Amino acid sequence: MVTVNNSGGFEYQFVSSPADIFVCKICHLPSRDPHLTVCCGHVFCKSCLDCMKEAKSIVTNTICPVCRSEDFVTFPNKQIDREVKSLYVYCTNKGRGCEWQGEVNYIDNHLAKDGGCEYEDVACTSGCGEMIQRQDLTKHVD
């Protein structure tokens, strides 16, 4: 099995299960920077393909890991990229009380360092070293 780095697919909790066509066949997550195969039409994350190619001792980079075709050619697929980024996800702080749901495209804005999710941990601005939920920071500093 090839180890995939942290920049593989999207690890968010999706509101609805993503269609199989969006899921990378290496990391089994909705594909980030999706590439489509010519041989069998499966989707892979670009970073997963890069990791697979670096692991030449484990697999060769000329054989498709799904259909085993030796005609393993991939190309970026912008349509699948747009569709994956339009899927709805929950905030990564859902378990801490955040009720936000939105497209993958907008979660970075929701979690932004300045004025983002109220349930996100931020460093105390008074320098005590504690991590506090953004919504409790003013009370903590006072």
Side-chain angles (χ1 to χ4, degrees):
M1 178 172 212
V2 177
T3 302
V4 178
N5 64 20
N6 290 338
S7 60
F10 291 105
E11 295 189 59
Y12 302 120
Q13 182 182 358
F14 287 80
V15 173
S16 298
S17 295
D20 191 48
I21 191 167
F22 301 141
V23 176
C24 172
K25 298 305 176 201
I26 295 174
C27 69
H28 305 287
L29 295 169
S31 185
R32 185 185 307 258
D33 193 9
H35 280 58
L36 191 64
T37 60
V38 172
C39 53
C40 59
H42 285 101
V43 171
F44 299 92
C45 301
K46 178 168 183 340
S47 62
C48 291
L49 288 172
D50 291 345
C51 285
M52 185 184 80
K53 289 177 182 179
E54 287 175 13
K56 286 183 182 179
S57 63
I58 299 172
V59 292
T60 64
N61 62 351
T62 59
I63 297 175
C64 176
V66 177
C67 72
R68 312 307 291 166
S69 169
E70 292 184 14
D71 185 28
F72 184 52
V73 177
T74 65
F75 60 93
N77 191 301
K78 292 182 187 284
Q79 179 181 354
I80 290 176
D81 188 48
R82 281 190 304 273
E83 297 214 23
V84 168
K85 288 179 178 175
S86 71
L87 296 173
Y88 275 72
V89 294
Y90 294 105
C91 176
T92 55
N93 296 308
K94 180 181 185 230
R96 302 176 82 194
C98 184
E99 296 180 6
W100 183 88
Q101 295 178 29
E103 294 179 10
V104 170
N105 242 354
Y106 301 115
I107 194 162
D108 286 341
N109 291 340
H110 172 70
L111 296 171
K113 290 188 187 261
D114 297 323
C117 177
E118 292 294 311
Y119 295 87
E120 187 78 5
D121 279 342
V122 294
C124 173
T125 55
S126 66
C128 76
E130 283 194 53
M131 295 297 287
I132 308 292
Q133 283 188 6
R134 183 175 279 120
Q135 66 184 347
D136 298 329
L137 185 60
T138 304
K139 180 179 172 185
H140 172 78
V141 171
D142 290 343

